[in-house]
Amino acid sequence: MSFDVSTLSARAIRDGIAARTFSAAEVVDATYARIDAVEGAVHAFNELTPELAREAAGRIDAMVAAGEPLPPLAGVPTGFKDNMNLVGTHTTCSSKILEGFKSPYDCTAVRRLLNAGALPIGKCNMDEFAFGSSTENSAFGPTHNPWDLERVPGGSSGGSAASVSAGMVAVSLGSDTGGSIRQPGALTGTVAMKPTYGRVSRYGVVAFASSLDQIGPFARSVEDAALVLNAISGHDDMDATSVREPVPDFTATLGDGVKGLRIGVVRDMLELEGCAAEVRSATEASVKLLEGLCAEVGDVDLPMSQHGLAAYYIIGPAEASSNLARFDGIRYGHRVAEPSDVLDLYMRSRAEGFGPESIRRIMLGTYALSAGYYDAYYGTAQKTRTLITREFEAAFERFDVLITPTSPTVAFKIGERAEDPLAMYLSDVYTIPLNLAGLPGVSIPCAKCGTSGLPIGVQVIGKHFDEATMLQVAAALEGALALDMTPPAFPLHRRSS
Amino acid sequence: MARDRLPVVLERYEAVIGLEVHTELTTLNSKMFCGCPVEFGGEPNTRVCPVCLGLPGALPVPNEAAVEATVLAGLALNCEIAPFSQFHRKQYFYPDMPKDYQISQYDLPFCGLGHLDIEVDGDGAKQRVDLGAEPYATRIGVTRIHLEEDTGKMIHVGGVEGRIAGADHSLVDFNRAGTPLMELVSEPDIRTPEEARRFAQKLRLILLNLGVSDCSMEEGSMRVDGNISIRLRGETELGTKTEIKNMNSFKALHDALAFEIVRQADVLDEGGRIVQETRHWDVTAKRTSTLRSKEQAHDYRYFPEPDMVPFEFTPEWIDAIRVRLPELPDARRERFVRDFGLSPSDARSLSEDVEFSAYFEEAVALAGNSLAKPLANWALGDLSAYLNAGPVALADAKVTPAMLAELVEIIDDGTISGKQAKQVFAEMAESGDAPGAIIELKGMKQVSDTDAIEAAVDRVIAANPDEVASYRAGKTTLIGWFVGQVMREMRGQGNPALVNETLVRKLG
């Protein structure tokens, strides 16, 4: 039976297996054949897990043979960001400091997805400890954007994004602390969402900033993203910040349209200096489309959110400096040879193990929390965060969802911003305020750039725990746009170097 | 010896002492942030999981029972319970701390200002030269009580006495890591080593009564550190303080503080200045020595623990905890004096321990309040002696409250003598048989039949004319000898009071 696993949706794969059009084992073979063909150019994975995938496929095929009903993501090839624990695999966070570390326990979200029938294909490359917006900060080398191999896929979940964009997996999980799912989603033309803070358990994902981190899906359609969200959502006893909100079927309302929904265009964000003209016009065009679908569109300004980037670069590094303290060479990971004493062991193991961006964030955060600076930095940042949250709450009294660009620019060249951290940090100017406010956001592809042909993403922002309405709007827009987001001439495109 | 010089030093100097008491909540089923059991000892690194090992991605979930136990302790110590509180991270690198930060509390502890009243009597009262050596009561403020996680344990190999100095390498055992640890900080209201000891002892009794910890100073489930400075009497400015660690018993607590007062006085008297530092009590050498300098304050970079949401305690929730407060030793002691007519010192001895006081009360309930005094004597006498001497704990003792009550009733109705009762008690403790059965079996009934006693007395008087003559000539101390002779005649079963009375009458 011939089928193209690189273009099939998660639902089509599951249904195909259920109908015995193809088996889960054949899906695994086709998946690794596709990976053989394109992974060399893209480098989306740190580790492939064919044994685990075949084992999982065997269980699905046995269910088919026994005539049992299949779970919702049965046989769906899935990638996991390499900061999520899965027994039998390494968790590297793309860092040398976790050298050799294999977790004895599973990340809750990963386990839930596997329980829903997903096949674990591999662990995806990322910026080291999720610090970055380009996946260049990986100890194992950068991931390349399938749309243009000389460009970055965004980050930090660049491997998860590229693996879906390049057709190597149908869906993947990323983590989003300041835009690390949505921004690479925009840059690779994939659907990428960050759920409400607390919607998905963080247990087993290596923490970057505990109050901002959230796991979410990449997919090639809004429906597939909703299917993944269905599987991973809900309270977890192992995460004190996961909530007991009821979890609706997020696919149920995808076809309900936008008629009468109040959609707010965040005008001052759209007009931000640094937002590329084609991004602005693509966003405006999306809004027009939604208006054409009888949504009630209006403008709103979120001036406080413009301070989000500054607040984020205090809170994020502050929490990260603390969360990364445990990588000390004592119990696991990289340990320096022949330490002279415990202090020497700490200092040299960490200096050798962490990459430059990790060291930068640890230093930023340590400074921000130091005696005498705490109030001026961390205290002020937390107040700013509260104000941003209130500003969103006020906007959501007038609107059901808000719309902004996802990233101010299309994918940039590898190396282009590597020496300029501030320019890199600006990549997340539209996504960061949501993490600070704990709000859900989804990026969907809304255009291809007229000059470069590169994908442009638009961000739909929902109310707390109202991912359903947010996805409903995204699905309506996706339907109206009817874009083909298969990377052009791929995989003929080869890395030039 | 420092202790001997303490009274002289205290004539001139006043000590200002505050205590920090760490108590492991050993009676809980699980650790502070995970489901691992809380137990002392065990093979190294067997009571661990991803959470208490701080593995990548693991998250802490607060143990609600530990939070409740801390609030319960706060209520017992008259503390204000915070309506809003939260955990903070205290950050420093050390190999016994898996995350390289300790989840603790900072400016928003569960329990705020409270107090504990202590009483000081005996020799200890003499340390308060300003109060004239009389027994006194004083109130010690409690600054706060908060909850945190304990660290693992380092085992230093190759050095002296397991200390780090000179060690070749160190091993870490994380079994203790994550054990719920309650920290109480007292106000610097303590003025003498004796007050410090009484405070710690009374705190221990209360925590034992609350059932939140086994409070073993030996096993480290209760650890007391002291902050101490001295100043000339009349001075209002505080002196420079030192912190004393490793005081592993109440005696060590007292002696270490006494040493430190004398040491600081010597330094000042020689024109020196006190260095702010942490000092280690060496129980063998009976002295404190520098552990580390505190002149450069550690920057722990405290910040709110983002893996947990803050706690908001409603008045209803706090009241629900308050209802669980058991009767505390002070209240019980007053009740024993009031209801049972016991002496204050007997009442105190009986009221301190939860199980022992419950045992006593059960016996009184069976025998009646009128027999409370003899029951108290038996509980504090033979029963305590038996428990102190042997390996048997109260819960396993064969002598039940019902048996003790029966024994006291039998003595009261004159069936056996007090001396016989001691034999019966020993037999009960050995066999677990009821006193009535033992008396029956051994034929130990006390004879109160006046005819039988009179006959025996007459026989003894007739057989010992010389002694009778001496007695009648004025040597009345011989009465004891006569009683002994009559008792022997009666094989020990005569009622001693009746025998005595009959002898006096017949000899007189």
Side-chain angles (χ1 to χ4, degrees):
Chain A
M1 164 73 231
S2 115
F3 61 102
D4 184 1
V5 76
S6 73
T7 56
L8 286 179
S9 72
R11 172 152 294 196
I13 291 169
R14 179 208 176 265
D15 291 350
I17 294 169
R20 306 194 187 210
T21 312
F22 41 79
S23 68
E26 285 171 323
V27 170
V28 172
D29 291 340
T31 296
Y32 285 107
R34 172 71 180 174
I35 289 171
D36 278 347
V38 304
E39 168 65 357
V42 177
H43 185 220
F45 291 98
N46 285 343
E47 181 178 8
L48 293 168
T49 54
E51 284 178 20
L52 294 178
R54 292 212 163 84
E55 223 177 277
R59 282 193 294 272
I60 300 294
D61 286 334
M63 292 173 87
V64 174
E68 292 171 23
L70 293 185
L73 291 163
V76 175
T78 305
F80 299 109
K81 189 175 183 177
D82 204 9
N83 58 356
M84 297 175 195
N85 290 327
L86 171 58
V87 172
T89 71
H90 293 86
T91 304
T92 72
C93 293
S94 289
S95 177
K96 274 202 308 194
I97 206 158
L98 272 167
E99 204 167 66
F101 177 73
K102 293 178 100 169
S103 171
Y105 75 100
D106 287 337
C107 170
T108 300
V110 170
R111 178 41 53 200
R112 286 181 175 175
L113 209 49
L114 297 182
N115 289 346
L119 307 180
I121 299 304
K123 305 289 286 288
C124 299
N125 197 12
M126 55 187 283
D127 283 302
E128 183 177 4
F129 286 106
F131 300 144
S133 308
S134 68
T135 317
E136 292 168 286
N137 301 329
S138 165
F140 309 120
T143 296
H144 300 259
N145 192 323
W147 289 75
D148 176 350
L149 295 173
E150 293 184 359
R151 290 177 186 267
V152 303
S156 66
S157 312
S160 301
S163 64
V164 171
S165 167
M168 293 192 273
V169 289
V171 297
S172 65
L173 289 185
S175 64
D176 189 316
T177 306
S180 279
I181 293 174
R182 292 158 289 154
Q183 183 259 11
L187 269 49
T188 58
T190 48
V191 175
M193 81 156 294
K194 180 197 96 72
T196 311
Y197 184 82
R199 177 65 96 183
V200 178
S201 167
R202 295 181 295 113
Y203 189 69
V205 61
V206 180
F208 161 1
S210 311
S211 72
L212 302 165
D213 295 346
Q214 193 65 189
I215 293 175
F218 288 91
R220 289 193 291 267
S221 69
V222 174
E223 186 189 30
D224 281 3
L227 282 170
V228 173
L229 187 63
N230 277 350
I232 63 177
S233 294
H235 176 74
D236 177 11
D237 285 339
M238 300 304 283
D239 177 1
T241 62
S242 80
V243 298
R244 294 183 188 274
E245 287 283 319
V247 180
D249 176 358
F250 295 106
T251 63
T253 46
L254 293 180
D256 288 1
V258 293
K259 190 174 175 188
L261 283 182
R262 299 167 303 163
I263 295 176
V265 180
V266 186
R267 184 57 56 187
D268 57 349
M269 283 206 195
L270 198 57
E271 276 155 21
L272 211 63
E273 195 189 340
C275 180
E278 64 268 22
V279 171
R280 191 175 296 145
S281 59
T283 310
E284 299 273 22
S286 295
V287 172
K288 281 273 176 274
L289 259 183
L290 290 167
E291 212 167 0
L293 295 171
C294 300
E296 290 172 23
V297 174
D299 281 351
V300 63
D301 283 341
L302 299 174
M304 201 39 81
S305 291
Q306 297 189 20
H307 300 294
L309 199 66
Y312 174 82
Y313 274 97
I314 300 294
I315 295 168
E319 292 184 12
S321 70
S322 176
N323 285 330
L324 268 58
R326 68 186 65 187
F327 304 111
D328 58 7
I330 298 284
R331 286 149 299 130
Y332 47 76
H334 179 70
R335 179 194 290 191
V336 76
E338 301 289 327
S340 61
D341 59 19
V342 71
L343 190 63
D344 180 54
L345 186 156
Y346 285 148
M347 291 176 69
R348 287 200 293 130
S349 297
R350 286 168 67 82
E352 288 177 8
F354 287 127
E357 184 62 23
S358 300
I359 290 173
R360 181 180 291 125
R361 306 261 181 141
I362 290 168
M363 291 182 70
L364 278 172
T366 304
Y367 182 80
L369 291 177
S370 295
Y373 299 101
Y374 179 91
D375 289 338
Y377 291 108
Y378 193 79
T380 307
Q382 287 291 20
K383 283 179 198 150
T384 307
R385 183 176 188 173
T386 304
L387 293 174
I388 290 172
T389 307
R390 285 193 196 142
E391 183 177 78
F392 271 112
E393 280 166 2
F396 278 120
E397 282 173 15
R398 292 171 53 208
F399 298 103
D400 298 306
V401 297
L402 302 174
I403 300 245
T404 70
T406 308
S407 161
T409 66
V410 294
F412 44 93
K413 291 241 163 102
I414 290 173
E416 189 181 320
R417 296 184 189 172
E419 299 305 316
D420 186 353
L422 279 181
M424 187 75 88
Y425 294 174
L426 278 169
S427 304
D428 296 325
V429 67
Y430 294 128
T431 48
I432 278 171
L434 281 68
N435 298 81
L436 291 171
L439 294 165
V442 61
S443 175
I444 67 159
C446 68
K448 297 176 197 177
C449 175
T451 49
S452 64
L454 292 167
I456 295 171
V458 65
Q459 174 173 245
V460 184
I461 307 168
K463 297 176 185 174
H464 285 122
F465 300 106
D466 190 15
E467 291 90 348
T469 305
M470 175 186 91
L471 291 172
Q472 185 182 326
V473 173
L477 186 57
E478 179 186 54
L481 286 162
L483 293 168
D484 175 8
M485 293 312 286
T486 313
F490 191 81
L492 303 174
H493 226 107
R494 287 288 173 186
R495 213 185 298 186
S496 52
S497 54
Chain B
M1 276 268 307
R3 278 188 72 173
D4 303 334
R5 289 177 48 212
L6 182 68
V8 182
V9 169
L10 286 175
E11 292 288 336
R12 289 182 296 128
Y13 287 103
E14 178 185 53
V16 177
I17 302 168
L19 297 181
E20 286 175 23
V21 185
H22 287 89
T23 311
E24 288 179 351
L25 303 178
T26 51
T27 56
L28 298 179
N29 292 327
S30 57
K31 289 186 180 179
M32 190 56 237
F33 299 112
C34 64
C36 290
V38 174
E39 278 171 58
F40 179 72
E43 281 294 301
N45 297 310
T46 52
R47 295 191 188 112
V48 292
C49 74
V51 176
C52 58
L53 280 178
L55 291 190
L59 296 173
V61 176
N63 180 342
E64 283 173 26
V67 177
E68 291 172 12
T70 305
V71 171
L72 191 67
L75 291 170
L77 294 168
N78 315 291
C79 290
E80 295 165 8
I81 307 303
F84 183 93
S85 48
Q86 74 186 140
F87 283 108
H88 272 65
R89 291 186 185 175
K90 178 182 183 178
Q91 310 194 71
Y92 61 98
F93 281 80
Y94 206 68
D96 65 6
M97 211 164 49
K99 302 182 292 295
D100 289 305
Y101 58 79
Q102 180 190 33
I103 302 176
S104 181
Q105 295 193 281
Y106 182 52
D107 54 351
L108 295 166
F110 290 136
C111 311
L113 282 181
H115 60 82
L116 179 61
D117 293 330
I118 58 168
E119 289 153 35
V120 185
D121 54 13
D123 279 354
K126 293 180 188 159
Q127 293 180 1
R128 278 297 287 264
V129 295
D130 53 327
L131 297 181
E134 291 299 311
Y136 64 96
T138 188
R139 174 163 290 187
I140 309 299
V142 171
T143 313
R144 57 185 282 162
I145 307 175
H146 75 245
L147 192 55
E148 59 190 27
E149 55 179 341
D150 209 345
T151 60
K153 267 186 185 161
M154 301 281 288
I155 297 142
H156 305 296
V157 182
V160 182
E161 286 178 2
R163 290 183 70 177
I164 192 166
D168 171 64
H169 64 276
S170 303
L171 302 168
V172 200
D173 175 6
F174 291 107
N175 281 352
R176 197 182 66 179
T179 296
L181 194 60
M182 188 173 76
E183 179 177 338
L184 175 147
V185 180
S186 88
E187 291 285 285
D189 291 342
I190 298 168
R191 291 290 170 269
T192 67
E194 184 62 24
E195 288 178 10
R197 167 156 61 191
R198 301 274 175 143
F199 178 88
Q201 284 174 330
K202 186 154 183 189
L203 175 65
R204 176 172 180 273
L205 283 179
I206 288 173
L207 297 178
L208 284 171
N209 271 267
L210 297 180
V212 298
S213 174
D214 62 11
C215 295
S216 163
M217 291 184 79
E218 198 174 297
E219 291 179 353
S221 59
M222 182 171 173
R223 311 195 278 272
V224 185
D225 300 331
N227 284 294
I228 177 165
S229 64
I230 62 169
R231 59 186 172 194
L232 285 171
R233 292 210 170 267
E235 177 64 70
T236 51
E237 293 284 304
L238 287 171
T240 303
K241 68 180 177 184
T242 58
E243 184 180 0
I244 316 296
K245 287 187 178 289
N246 196 43
M247 301 180 289
N248 296 333
S249 67
F250 294 117
K251 180 171 163 34
L253 172 66
H254 176 277
D255 292 355
L257 293 173
F259 175 90
E260 187 62 14
I261 290 169
V262 173
R263 186 193 72 84
Q264 290 190 10
D266 286 348
V267 171
L268 295 179
D269 288 347
E270 287 162 19
R273 67 179 189 99
I274 306 299
V275 178
Q276 188 174 340
E277 62 185 0
T278 301
R279 299 179 68 84
H280 179 93
W281 171 247
D282 184 332
V283 71
T284 319
K286 298 192 189 307
R287 57 190 300 276
T288 65
S289 58
T290 301
L291 195 64
R292 57 176 176 265
S293 168
K294 273 218 165 176
E295 293 226 302
Q296 292 153 327
H298 239 293
D299 182 358
Y300 290 118
R301 289 175 286 115
Y302 279 101
F303 79 107
E305 168 56 88
D307 282 327
M308 276 175 269
V309 290
F311 294 81
E312 290 181 54
F313 300 145
T314 63
E316 295 73 32
W317 185 87
I318 294 168
D319 284 344
I321 302 290
R322 199 188 308 274
V323 167
R324 285 164 42 189
L325 267 182
E327 184 181 43
L328 294 175
D330 275 359
R332 197 180 297 132
R333 178 182 62 179
E334 283 164 27
R335 185 165 58 81
F336 283 3
V337 172
R338 191 177 62 237
D339 293 359
F340 301 153
L342 302 185
S343 73
S345 87
D346 280 1
R348 175 191 291 175
S349 304
L350 283 164
S351 62
E352 287 181 341
D353 184 81
V354 190
E355 286 175 38
F356 195 62
S357 61
Y359 183 106
F360 170 69
E361 290 212 63
E362 194 181 334
V364 173
L366 292 166
N369 284 9
S370 61
L371 291 180
K373 273 188 185 174
L375 272 171
N377 291 338
W378 277 95
L380 295 171
D382 291 55
L383 179 62
S384 292
Y386 169 70
L387 294 172
N388 291 340
V392 182
L394 182 62
D396 306 321
K398 287 182 174 167
V399 182
T400 64
M403 285 154 68
L404 198 65
E406 187 186 341
L407 181 65
V408 171
E409 282 169 350
I410 290 169
I411 302 165
D412 184 58
D413 68 19
T415 308
I416 58 171
S417 68
K419 196 172 174 190
Q420 287 174 311
K422 283 183 174 296
Q423 285 174 270
V424 174
F425 181 89
E427 187 67 27
M428 286 198 305
E430 183 71 26
S431 66
D433 292 336
I438 293 168
I439 290 160
E440 196 72 46
L441 192 70
K442 305 248 165 182
M444 284 168 81
K445 285 216 183 257
Q446 174 172 270
V447 176
S448 299
D449 173 352
T450 31
D451 291 345
I453 291 172
E454 294 221 0
V457 167
D458 289 343
R459 281 198 298 276
V460 169
I461 288 175
N464 300 284
D466 292 351
E467 283 76 9
V468 171
S470 297
Y471 180 90
R472 287 185 175 146
K475 201 175 174 190
T476 52
T477 49
L478 275 171
I479 190 72
W481 181 84
F482 279 109
V483 170
Q485 295 303 306
V486 175
M487 291 303 274
R488 192 200 286 176
E489 188 77 15
M490 298 183 72
R491 298 203 320 279
Q493 293 182 6
N495 179 329
L498 280 178
V499 169
N500 194 66
E501 189 193 310
T502 311
L503 271 169
V504 170
R505 178 160 46 80
K506 297 215 173 214
L507 286 169

